[in-house]
Amino acid sequence: MTRFAFVCALAAPALIGISGCALNPMEIEPYREVSCFQAAKVSLKDAVEAAERNGGNAIEADYIQDKEMGCVQGEPGYYEVTLLSGPKLTTVSVDARSKLVGTPVAEPTTRGLLNGDILERLFEPSPASRAGIVPKVSITLLEAIAVAEKGGGKAMEADIAMNDAKPGYTIKLVEKGKLHTTWVDGAKGA
């Protein structure tokens, strides 16, 4: 067996395993993050409202628990909210226990490379490209979250997006410990 064939034989199972995970991003969501989110005192909607009080309109928001033993140790995690104010994008963190809003940070160009979301961020559009969708929607991110939660569950992540040619919002909901995604039409809110 040649050295190349040997390396390929070793690498093939790993690549198949990685590609299998990438096919269903819902399975990538860490169980620990979902369980910590369920214990958070501040909802996604409350975090977005707190972030928007500092100026700007939210175009995406996400609950994050990046410490392995965070909720076991009493760390509440935080929400990362991307705000659009005119042409300017900023990101703020909102404490999941106190609703305390952190200092705004200009949207980084190395998005996701520093905070561990590399796989997820590779397949998602950047906040800058999402900002171009804002003029096409007639409801806000907060309104979309409210619509999604009417169907059951608690919103954990919300993003403005395009579904084919339709503008709207993709909302990840947690209900009874399970994660599912719903779409809210940005033109109708349904």
Side-chain angles (χ1 to χ4, degrees):
M1 179 182 276
T2 68
R3 186 175 184 177
F4 177 75
F6 179 72
V7 170
C8 288
L10 288 177
L15 291 174
I16 291 169
I18 290 171
S19 68
C21 289
L23 292 177
N24 188 354
M26 304 317 291
E27 292 176 10
I28 295 173
E29 199 74 42
Y31 170 78
R32 125 187 98 68
E33 193 168 12
V34 170
S35 59
C36 290
F37 168 74
Q38 291 179 109
K41 294 180 180 182
V42 175
S43 70
L44 183 69
K45 186 177 177 196
D46 291 340
V48 169
E49 287 172 343
E52 286 184 338
R53 278 195 286 274
N54 287 349
N57 295 315
I59 63 168
E60 63 183 24
D62 186 10
Y63 173 78
I64 298 172
Q65 176 52 272
D66 54 6
K67 296 181 180 172
E68 196 61 43
M69 298 296 288
C71 59
V72 173
Q73 297 172 336
E75 295 287 328
Y78 62 96
Y79 293 93
E80 191 173 84
V81 182
T82 301
L83 300 164
L84 177 65
S85 181
K88 185 178 165 194
L89 282 170
T90 57
T91 300
V92 296
S93 63
V94 180
D95 187 274
R97 181 182 304 145
S98 66
K99 283 198 268 187
L100 196 66
V101 179
T103 306
V105 176
E107 186 60 37
T109 55
T110 56
R111 183 173 187 262
L113 295 178
L114 302 177
N115 67 4
D117 294 336
I118 296 169
L119 280 179
E120 187 174 335
R121 302 297 186 179
L122 284 175
F123 300 103
E124 291 183 4
S126 70
S129 65
R130 290 183 184 184
I133 302 170
V134 172
K136 300 175 185 174
V137 295
S138 60
I139 65 170
T140 66
L141 186 70
L142 282 171
E143 293 168 329
I145 291 169
V147 168
E149 289 182 337
K150 282 183 185 175
K154 183 178 169 187
M156 181 174 163
E157 182 177 332
D159 300 302
I160 195 167
M162 294 293 287
N163 186 357
D164 293 324
K166 290 183 177 181
Y169 300 89
T170 302
I171 315 282
K172 284 185 182 178
L173 298 156
V174 175
E175 186 173 18
K176 297 178 184 170
K178 299 206 185 246
L179 189 65
H180 65 277
T181 303
T182 190
W183 171 259
V184 177
D185 189 323
K188 302 177 198 171

